Every structure is written in structure tokens, then in C-alpha cells.
Amino acid sequence: MTNIGIWGLGSMGLGMAQSLVKAGLPTVGHDPRGVVLDGAADLETGDLDIAVIVVLNAAQTESVIDAILPSLQAGAVVVACATVSPAFARDMASRCKAREVLYLDAPISGGAARAAQGDLSIMASGPNAAFDTAQPALDAMARTVFRMGEEVGAGSAMKAVHQVLAGTHIATMAEAMVFGITQGIDPARFLEVLPQCGGTSWMLENRGPHIRDGDYTPHSAVEIWIKDLGIINEIATDAAIDLPMVQAALGGYRKAVEMGLGREDDAAIAKVYAAQAGVKLP
């Protein structure tokens, strides 16, 4: 039987852990906030075949890897899911390799609801042996695993490209909804029409209802986009490419943080545009 540990039981990690348990895989969960995983197995780090890391950022990922690497058995695999730079992923893979531990660069997409259903998309890169060892966990957590090749870092590069679209789509959706309000189109009507037209996007259909309902429960917080778009900025600088749409969106998220909205759902960027336009959101 494949033994799995998962670090980070937040909005994504808890659902992923639950999917592992539902699949009948012995799983132990770890979270510094004291979140408990129902159905968790009694496993030590040295018992694990797979260590899934679903924390917030590179610093937290590195902290977990530093803590668990000395205890992981040779041939185990680390599945690292946070959005990080390709260079960071390669560095972590090198550290793992020195301890004869495999590394899968495996950022995720899909949101908390899909995580709980085992329906995520995973953009993964790493040696074939890492994919083979991680396969039981990947099958339980994801609907689709995009194999980006054996070179660690390609998964993180693909996630960065994804975040260009996701981050700007949320900002643009919010901007369009507030613009609609200035033209007498209320958010409910906006969401009746736009999802059936060419201008829709998954982010519009997923985040738009948060604005319509005035519910900014943080399924994915504003402040996460400061981190993710910041990573994209660093990669773009190295590649000598300007990303003006990213810069515009990042400016909006930064303003939202300045307004004290950093811990609210990322759809709260609409409050930035509403304040500028002098209109009231639901």
C-alpha cells in the first residue's frame, strides 16, 4: 500500500487530502494551524512513499522540504504544488536528488471545490520515476495530469503562463462588472448574459457570483496574486519581455491590499474599481 503525507491543509490542500483518503490511500495530514484530517492514518515521515506539499509559497515549501528530507526513505517522491519559479523548483529537486529522493514539480489548478472532488488539473514535470511513484496520489487528486516533460521547472513555467491569464481575467472581469454598473447593468444581469457570450471566461463564471452576492469569503485571497504575479514579473524580466496586462492587474491587486482587502477573496479587486467609479457593489 502506498503511504502518503500531505503538508498544508488549506482551501486546496484539505480537499486534496480528503480525495486521497476517499481513494483508500493511507494518508497523514500536517498543518501548523491544527487542522485535522478525518480518516488520517498513523504514519511517520519515514513510512511515506509520497510527500505532497500544498503550502502558500516558495519559502514555506523550502521549510517543509528541509524538515522532512532527512527522514524520507530513498526512492520516495516529493510532489510540490505551490506556485514557484522554475529556478526554485530546480533547486529543490537538486536537494532531493542528493538524498536519493525524487521530485515532481507539480503546480495545481482548479479551485477548492474541484480539489475536494479529486478533479484538479496538475501541470507536472520531473523524471519518469517520479511520475511512476506519485501515480496513486495523482490519480486520486486530479482529473488531468499534464506531463510537461522530465526537466524539473517546466511544470512551474506552465503554471506561470496559466497565472498570467487567471490573474488578468479576474481583474478584467471585475473591471467589466463595475463598468457595467456605471451603465445601469446590475451584476445579476451581467452574469445572466456574459457566460453565454464570447467574452466569458472560467474566472468570470467562478468569481463573478462572489461580487454579485457580496460574498468575499477567501477561497483564493487577493494577496496571493501579489505573490504569483510577482513571480511572473521576475521570470519576464529574465526573459526580457514586457507584460503590460500583468502590470495593470498587479497594480489593481496592490491597491486592494492597500485598502485592507488582502485577506478577502480575490474578487474583492472589484472594490478598487468601484471606489474609483464611485459606485456601490452588492
Side-chain angles (χ1 to χ4, degrees), residues 106-125:
I108 54 180
S109 177
R114 284 176 57 187
Q117 296 163 3
D119 195 33
L120 292 174
S121 295
I122 299 181
M123 295 155 266
S125 62

Side-chain angles (χ1 to χ4, degrees), residues 16-110:
M16 293 163 69
Q18 291 167 339
S19 294
L20 293 167
V21 172
K22 287 178 199 173
L25 296 167
T27 304
V28 60
H30 301 272
D31 192 285
R33 298 164 300 175
V35 179
V36 177
L37 173 63
D38 290 338
D42 184 14
L43 297 170
E44 299 294 332
T45 305
D47 300 326
L48 301 179
D49 302 291
I50 305 170
V52 182
I53 304 176
V54 200
V55 292
L56 179 62
N57 55 28
Q60 291 182 8
T61 299
E62 184 173 15
S63 178
V64 172
I65 289 175
D66 285 346
I68 68 175
L69 197 52
S71 301
L72 287 175
Q73 59 188 324
V77 60
V78 168
V79 180
C81 300
T83 301
V84 299
S85 72
F88 174 84
R90 288 190 289 269
D91 181 35
M92 293 301 103
S94 179
R95 294 193 199 181
C96 288
K97 186 176 181 180
R99 299 292 302 227
E100 298 183 350
V101 170
L102 300 164
Y103 186 92
L104 203 62
D105 174 29
I108 54 180
S109 177

Side-chain angles (χ1 to χ4, degrees), residues 25 38 40-41 44-45 54 62 76 79 88 130 132 138 141 152 169 184 189 203 224 251 255 264 274:
L25 296 167
D38 290 338
E44 299 294 332
T45 305
V54 200
E62 184 173 15
V79 180
F88 174 84
D132 292 342
L138 299 176
M141 298 186 298
V152 168
H169 283 184
R189 188 60 173 157
M203 286 300 188
I224 290 174
K255 182 63 177 177
E264 293 193 14

Side-chain angles (χ1 to χ4, degrees), residues 163-175 203 207 220-230 232 245-273 276:
Q163 295 302 79
V164 168
L165 292 170
T168 57
H169 283 184
I170 293 168
T172 304
M173 172 278 298
E175 186 178 85
M203 286 300 188
R207 302 302 206 273
S220 178
V222 166
E223 63 187 7
I224 290 174
W225 289 105
I226 307 297
K227 171 186 74 76
D228 285 9
L229 296 184
I232 291 164
M245 305 302 286
V246 167
Q247 294 299 326
L250 182 56
Y253 292 117
R254 284 174 173 159
K255 182 63 177 177
V257 170
E258 291 171 7
M259 291 171 61
L261 307 173
R263 296 294 180 90
E264 293 193 14
D265 186 82
D266 49 26
I269 191 174
K271 296 181 181 181
V272 174
Y273 306 128
Q276 292 170 349

